[in-house]
Amino acid sequence: MAKNIAVSEATLEITQIKSIIGGSQVQRDIVRSLGLKRIGHTVVRSADPVTVGMVNKVPHLLKVEEAK
């Protein structure tokens, strides 16, 4: 699970690990805005302020790693 990701020059691999069913509409919108479509789906995004803010809003639904 993601734990307070900080803004940096890094590239992040963001993977959805839990369902958005039962989550609030805001949480659903955040996960979709990150480009995630289903459990196990991974996207690569830069660690800019917008992305970091979205990730920190729904850390219980995501796994975040620094891309190699």
Side-chain angles (χ1 to χ4, degrees), residues 10 14 23 41:
I14 305 167
H41 188 211

Side-chain angles (χ1 to χ4, degrees), residues 15-51:
T15 305
Q16 184 177 345
I17 57 169
K18 283 190 160 185
S19 174
I20 57 175
I21 295 173
S24 69
Q25 188 63 47
V26 170
Q27 290 176 342
R28 291 169 187 249
D29 292 344
I30 289 170
V31 172
R32 292 292 301 179
S33 295
L34 285 167
L36 298 166
K37 300 181 187 308
R38 61 190 130 354
I39 295 173
H41 188 211
T42 301
V43 294
V44 177
R45 302 275 303 257
S46 61
D48 61 355
V50 174
T51 302

Side-chain angles (χ1 to χ4, degrees), residues 35-68:
L36 298 166
K37 300 181 187 308
R38 61 190 130 354
I39 295 173
H41 188 211
T42 301
V43 294
V44 177
R45 302 275 303 257
S46 61
D48 61 355
V50 174
T51 302
V52 169
M54 288 194 286
V55 167
N56 288 335
K57 280 284 193 181
V58 289
H60 56 289
L61 302 176
L62 308 173
K63 178 176 78 173
V64 181
E65 300 169 324
E66 192 167 327
K68 295 177 178 70

